[in-house]
PDB file of all heavy atoms in Angstrom:
ATOM      1  N   VAL A 273     -39.020   1.972  17.025  1.00  0.00           N
ATOM      2  CA  VAL A 273     -38.100   2.302  15.924  1.00  0.00           C
ATOM      3  C   VAL A 273     -37.382   3.619  16.206  1.00  0.00           C
ATOM      4  O   VAL A 273     -36.160   3.741  15.987  1.00  0.00           O
ATOM      5  CB  VAL A 273     -38.870   2.382  14.587  1.00  0.00           C
ATOM      6  CG1 VAL A 273     -37.954   2.888  13.476  1.00  0.00           C
ATOM      7  CG2 VAL A 273     -39.437   1.017  14.219  1.00  0.00           C
ATOM      8  N   ALA A 274     -38.114   4.612  16.727  1.00  0.00           N
ATOM      9  CA  ALA A 274     -37.494   5.908  17.031  1.00  0.00           C
ATOM     10  C   ALA A 274     -36.428   5.754  18.108  1.00  0.00           C
ATOM     11  O   ALA A 274     -35.318   6.307  17.989  1.00  0.00           O
ATOM     12  CB  ALA A 274     -38.571   6.896  17.475  1.00  0.00           C
ATOM     13  N   GLU A 275     -36.739   5.013  19.173  1.00  0.00           N
ATOM     14  CA  GLU A 275     -35.765   4.818  20.252  1.00  0.00           C
ATOM     15  C   GLU A 275     -34.540   4.057  19.756  1.00  0.00           C
ATOM     16  O   GLU A 275     -33.401   4.401  20.089  1.00  0.00           O
ATOM     17  CB  GLU A 275     -36.428   4.051  21.404  1.00  0.00           C
ATOM     18  CG  GLU A 275     -37.472   4.851  22.161  1.00  0.00           C
ATOM     19  CD  GLU A 275     -38.240   4.014  23.169  1.00  0.00           C
ATOM     20  OE1 GLU A 275     -38.060   2.771  23.169  1.00  0.00           O
ATOM     21  OE2 GLU A 275     -39.020   4.587  23.945  1.00  0.00           O
ATOM     22  N   GLY A 276     -34.775   3.023  18.948  1.00  0.00           N
ATOM     23  CA  GLY A 276     -33.654   2.253  18.410  1.00  0.00           C
ATOM     24  C   GLY A 276     -32.750   3.094  17.527  1.00  0.00           C
ATOM     25  O   GLY A 276     -31.516   2.987  17.595  1.00  0.00           O
ATOM     26  N   ALA A 277     -33.356   3.954  16.696  1.00  0.00           N
ATOM     27  CA  ALA A 277     -32.560   4.811  15.811  1.00  0.00           C
ATOM     28  C   ALA A 277     -31.742   5.819  16.613  1.00  0.00           C
ATOM     29  O   ALA A 277     -30.556   6.050  16.322  1.00  0.00           O
ATOM     30  CB  ALA A 277     -33.484   5.526  14.830  1.00  0.00           C
ATOM     31  N   LEU A 278     -32.361   6.418  17.629  1.00  0.00           N
ATOM     32  CA  LEU A 278     -31.642   7.393  18.462  1.00  0.00           C
ATOM     33  C   LEU A 278     -30.477   6.733  19.210  1.00  0.00           C
ATOM     34  O   LEU A 278     -29.368   7.293  19.268  1.00  0.00           O
ATOM     35  CB  LEU A 278     -32.613   8.034  19.460  1.00  0.00           C
ATOM     36  CG  LEU A 278     -33.612   9.042  18.888  1.00  0.00           C
ATOM     37  CD1 LEU A 278     -34.603   9.490  19.957  1.00  0.00           C
ATOM     38  CD2 LEU A 278     -32.869  10.252  18.318  1.00  0.00           C
ATOM     39  N   VAL A 279     -30.724   5.568  19.752  1.00  0.00           N
ATOM     40  CA  VAL A 279     -29.656   4.854  20.468  1.00  0.00           C
ATOM     41  C   VAL A 279     -28.528   4.492  19.507  1.00  0.00           C
ATOM     42  O   VAL A 279     -27.345   4.624  19.836  1.00  0.00           O
ATOM     43  CB  VAL A 279     -30.221   3.592  21.155  1.00  0.00           C
ATOM     44  CG1 VAL A 279     -29.091   2.698  21.662  1.00  0.00           C
ATOM     45  CG2 VAL A 279     -31.139   3.978  22.310  1.00  0.00           C
ATOM     46  N   ALA A 280     -28.889   4.055  18.305  1.00  0.00           N
ATOM     47  CA  ALA A 280     -27.871   3.666  17.321  1.00  0.00           C
ATOM     48  C   ALA A 280     -26.988   4.845  16.943  1.00  0.00           C
ATOM     49  O   ALA A 280     -25.761   4.728  16.884  1.00  0.00           O
ATOM     50  CB  ALA A 280     -28.547   3.077  16.082  1.00  0.00           C
ATOM     51  N   VAL A 281     -27.609   6.002  16.686  1.00  0.00           N
ATOM     52  CA  VAL A 281     -26.841   7.197  16.300  1.00  0.00           C
ATOM     53  C   VAL A 281     -25.953   7.665  17.452  1.00  0.00           C
ATOM     54  O   VAL A 281     -24.764   7.984  17.256  1.00  0.00           O
ATOM     55  CB  VAL A 281     -27.792   8.321  15.853  1.00  0.00           C
ATOM     56  CG1 VAL A 281     -27.026   9.623  15.648  1.00  0.00           C
ATOM     57  CG2 VAL A 281     -28.501   7.928  14.560  1.00  0.00           C
ATOM     58  N   ALA A 282     -26.520   7.705  18.659  1.00  0.00           N
ATOM     59  CA  ALA A 282     -25.739   8.158  19.822  1.00  0.00           C
ATOM     60  C   ALA A 282     -24.552   7.234  20.075  1.00  0.00           C
ATOM     61  O   ALA A 282     -23.428   7.702  20.329  1.00  0.00           O
ATOM     62  CB  ALA A 282     -26.644   8.223  21.054  1.00  0.00           C
ATOM     63  N   LEU A 283     -24.785   5.942  19.993  1.00  0.00           N
ATOM     64  CA  LEU A 283     -23.710   4.975  20.228  1.00  0.00           C
ATOM     65  C   LEU A 283     -22.641   5.079  19.152  1.00  0.00           C
ATOM     66  O   LEU A 283     -21.439   5.013  19.437  1.00  0.00           O
ATOM     67  CB  LEU A 283     -24.299   3.558  20.264  1.00  0.00           C
ATOM     68  CG  LEU A 283     -23.353   2.421  20.655  1.00  0.00           C
ATOM     69  CD1 LEU A 283     -22.835   2.631  22.069  1.00  0.00           C
ATOM     70  CD2 LEU A 283     -24.090   1.073  20.563  1.00  0.00           C
ATOM     71  N   LEU A 284     -23.074   5.270  17.909  1.00  0.00           N
ATOM     72  CA  LEU A 284     -22.122   5.385  16.798  1.00  0.00           C
ATOM     73  C   LEU A 284     -21.226   6.608  16.969  1.00  0.00           C
ATOM     74  O   LEU A 284     -19.999   6.517  16.859  1.00  0.00           O
ATOM     75  CB  LEU A 284     -22.895   5.444  15.481  1.00  0.00           C
ATOM     76  CG  LEU A 284     -22.072   5.421  14.191  1.00  0.00           C
ATOM     77  CD1 LEU A 284     -22.881   4.760  13.077  1.00  0.00           C
ATOM     78  CD2 LEU A 284     -21.696   6.834  13.748  1.00  0.00           C
TER      79      LEU A 284
END
Side-chain angles (χ1 to χ4, degrees):
V273 173
E275 290 172 352
L278 287 174
V279 169
V281 172
L283 187 62
L284 186 150

